[in-house]
Every structure is written in C-alpha cells, then in structure tokens.
Amino acid sequence: MVKRNSLQSLIAVFYNWHWRNFFTGNIYQGPWKAICVPGLNCYSCPGAWGACPIGSLQSAYSGTVLRFPFYVLGLMLAWGLLFGRVICGWLCPFGFLQELLYALPSRKIKKRPWMAKLTYIKYGILVLFVVVIPLLFYGQRGRGTPAFCKYICPAGIVEGAIPLFATRQNLWQLAGWITTWKFAVCFFLLGLAIVMYRPFCRFICPLGAWYGFFHQTALLGVTVDSKKCIHCHKCALICKNDVQIAGDRECVSCGECLATCPTRAISYRHWPRKRVRENKKINKGW
C-alpha cells in the first residue's frame, strides 16, 4: 500500500509539473497539451502539461465542426489495453485524493451488497453525458457541449477552478449558476469521500467505466487462477470497491487482496516483479 501511494504521489506531480503556474494563474497551452494522460487530470489545471481523456473526447463535439475523435479514442484504447483499471488504482490523481480523504479519522460507511448496483451509474454517465448530450446539443444548436466536464466533473473544480479563482479574483465576477452547481457537486463528493471509499470512482467516473471494459484483456492487472480459486470470496470481502471477485470490472488492482487468498490464486498479470520471482525459481531449479 505504501509503495502504491508513493507512486500515486509521483504521478500526481508528474501530471502537473508546471507547478509555478499555480502561483501565476496561467494554464500551459503548449504542444504537450495535445497528449492525453491515462488518469483523470483536468486540462484547465494550471500545472497540467497534458489533457484529460474525457475532456479531450468531448472537445471533439464542442466546436462548430463535428469531428470524429480518432486520436483520442486511439489513446484511450491504448491505455485501456495496456493498463485497464490499474490506471484507477495507481495512476489517477483524483482517485488518490479520495484515498487521502478516506484516510482521515471519521466514521466510515462500509460497502453493502446493494451498492454494487450503483456502480452501473457510471456506465450511464459515460453514454449520456460524454456521448449523447454533447451530440444532441450539436444537432440542435450546431455546437456541442462538454456535458460531463461542464455539469459533473469534480476534478475540474479541485484542479482547475480553485487554483485559478485563488490567483485571479476577477473570475468570481464571471461565475454563474453552473459554477455554483459544480462547486456544490465537488464539495459533496469530497465530503462523501471522507466517510466512503472513492465514491466518485465507484459510482460516477466515466473514465473508470471505460477502463472497466478492459479488465480481462489489459496487459497489466490483477488476475485469478481459476484452477486454484476455491470461491471463498475473501478477496471480495476485504476489497473496499464493489468487486464480486478480484480482477473484475470494479477491481482497481490495488493488490490488498493478494495476501488474503488462502490458495494464492490471485496475482498480477505480466507484472515485472512477479516475473523476477519466477525467473529466480527457474534458475534455482536448473
């Protein structure tokens, strides 16, 4: 867990290496901004050098000329095939922020079986707010709208609005009801994250929904050896996410369940450290 948190910290810094912009209120807009980072990291964050995949996907619908986002979808497909939901557990700054909030001392809302049904909400958000509503706006007005970023995404407030409003006081004069709504949604989710484990990731995030499609095909991730598994469900019981079994669409590959498996059926798929251990065993055998 400590090593995973350390990597999450480094990734958050790496995504936002233009740290001076947090004090000046500027937004980097150079050529690197055309690259989509794997995790949810807002384009409008002053420190960000790259773009958010969901934001970039919606920007294709937001102009007066409708463009098919070949480049963005290609990158999202590549990230999904390479990492799957490892991105959610290891490479997403907003997921890391929720984990830090959950670590604060407070009474916790433990997961319940019925919460697994709520995880399907994020798939609806992916379809409705990322695809359907932007295209409907384009069909009606000739100009699309980034509906998820505009009405829901809390990362835009934490990483973009708050730093910019802190350095540019005149922005408060331009704020309208949408800004007020987004702040309310953001603070509600951040408050909920103190008592509930990663609520945004589990129930709302469309990027997590996308990566969930690759939970079986991704190069990296947690996997279960069906020959060793005795279906004791210990992995599901210890997991704070709504998994039915380790490595399913809700698994973020945090690795907390590996030590609880009585038959050692759970492992990381194509994980470098695992390969090193296996090679050592092979060498000893020879």
Side-chain angles (χ1 to χ4, degrees), residues 220-236:
L220 300 179
V222 164
T223 186
V224 177
D225 187 337
S226 59
K227 295 180 180 179
K228 295 182 179 180
C229 180
I230 58 175
H231 306 286
C232 63
H233 303 292
K234 288 186 177 180
C235 55

Side-chain angles (χ1 to χ4, degrees), residues 18-114:
H18 295 285
W19 57 269
R20 291 186 178 87
N21 288 350
F22 286 106
F23 301 97
T24 62
N26 297 320
I27 300 176
Y28 170 74
Q29 295 179 329
W32 286 93
K33 218 48 176 288
I35 299 176
C36 297
V37 297
L40 196 75
N41 198 73
C42 187
Y43 178 99
S44 298
C45 178
W49 60 264
C52 170
I54 295 296
S56 298
L57 185 64
Q58 291 183 103
S59 68
Y61 315 134
S62 300
T64 55
V65 178
L66 188 63
R67 297 168 295 160
F68 189 84
F70 289 102
Y71 168 70
V72 179
L73 282 176
L75 271 179
M76 291 177 67
L77 181 63
W79 294 137
L81 289 172
L82 285 172
F83 302 109
R85 294 211 68 182
V86 169
I87 294 169
C88 304
W90 294 74
L91 308 176
C92 183
F94 198 75
F96 179 46
L97 173 61
Q98 291 174 86
E99 291 188 17
L100 292 177
L101 292 173
Y102 188 75
L104 296 175
S106 69
R107 290 186 176 182
K108 306 300 181 183
I109 300 175
K110 296 182 180 180
K111 71 173 185 179
R112 298 289 186 268
W114 57 267

Side-chain angles (χ1 to χ4, degrees), residues 47-271:
W49 60 264
C52 170
I54 295 296
S56 298
L57 185 64
Q58 291 183 103
S59 68
Y61 315 134
S62 300
T64 55
V65 178
L66 188 63
R67 297 168 295 160
F68 189 84
F70 289 102
Y71 168 70
V72 179
L73 282 176
L75 271 179
M76 291 177 67
L77 181 63
W79 294 137
L81 289 172
L82 285 172
F83 302 109
R85 294 211 68 182
V86 169
I87 294 169
C88 304
W90 294 74
L91 308 176
C92 183
F94 198 75
F96 179 46
L97 173 61
Q98 291 174 86
E99 291 188 17
L100 292 177
L101 292 173
Y102 188 75
L104 296 175
S106 69
R107 290 186 176 182
K108 306 300 181 183
I109 300 175
K110 296 182 180 180
K111 71 173 185 179
R112 298 289 186 268
W114 57 267
M115 290 182 180
K117 297 180 180 179
L118 300 181
T119 62
Y120 289 98
I121 294 175
K122 61 179 174 285
Y123 295 92
I125 290 176
L126 173 63
V127 174
L128 188 62
F129 281 85
V130 179
V131 180
V132 175
I133 292 179
L135 290 177
L136 283 177
F137 268 80
Y138 182 85
Q140 294 176 358
R141 303 180 182 181
R143 186 179 183 87
T145 184
F148 175 75
C149 297
K150 188 174 182 179
Y151 299 112
I152 298 178
C153 185
I157 295 296
V158 173
E159 299 175 358
I162 291 178
L164 292 174
F165 277 48
T167 53
R168 296 184 180 184
Q169 301 298 325
N170 61 319
L171 290 179
W172 287 105
Q173 301 174 1
L174 304 175
W177 71 269
I178 293 179
T179 303
T180 303
W181 164 257
K182 283 286 297 293
F183 266 93
V185 171
C186 176
F187 287 126
F188 170 75
L189 289 172
L190 293 181
L192 189 60
I194 296 175
V195 297
M196 179 182 288
Y197 187 73
R198 299 180 74 152
F200 175 76
C201 303
R202 290 163 63 188
F203 310 127
I204 298 175
C205 182
L207 192 57
W210 170 263
Y211 291 139
F213 293 134
F214 302 91
H215 73 276
Q216 290 183 326
T217 56
L219 181 64
L220 300 179
V222 164
T223 186
V224 177
D225 187 337
S226 59
K227 295 180 180 179
K228 295 182 179 180
C229 180
I230 58 175
H231 306 286
C232 63
H233 303 292
K234 288 186 177 180
C235 55
L237 291 173
I238 194 175
C239 184
K240 299 184 185 72
N241 285 299
D242 306 276
V243 304
Q244 302 300 311
I245 188 172
D248 68 9
R249 63 180 178 85
E250 294 303 318
C251 176
V252 298
S253 298
C254 67
E256 291 187 10
C257 62
L258 269 68
T260 66
C261 183
T263 61
R264 297 185 178 180
I266 306 172
S267 62
Y268 277 110
R269 182 169 53 241
H270 301 301
W271 206 255

